[in-house]
Amino acid sequence: MIDALNIALALLIVGLGIWTVVARDTFAAVAGFICYGLFLTLVWVQLQGIDVALTEAAIGGGLTGALLIGAAARL
């Protein structure tokens, strides 16, 4: 069961990363980046790196996402 979850999570992260890179709409790319960071948080929790997961959620999903949304709004 856990192996299936890990494989699905890995495929989801790879697919989301590719979609974020090829997205033409700026807001869609930023939303994909935020989701990518939050799914990476789940990977770090699965690997039992709770401190890294909290940092990824705060910086990767939260702060960087807010900065990118602000930058995309000014474009």
Side-chain angles (χ1 to χ4, degrees), residues 3-58:
D3 290 334
L5 177 68
N6 289 340
I7 291 170
L9 193 57
L11 291 175
L12 186 63
I13 287 177
V14 169
L16 191 57
I18 291 170
W19 180 74
T20 301
V21 170
V22 299
R24 292 186 179 243
D25 185 30
T26 307
F27 184 74
V30 171
F33 181 78
I34 292 170
C35 292
Y36 182 79
L38 294 177
F39 280 120
L40 278 179
T41 301
L42 292 177
V43 169
W44 286 115
V45 168
Q46 185 69 20
L47 292 172
Q48 311 231 337
I50 302 300
D51 54 342
V52 181
L54 287 172
T55 304
E56 177 67 35

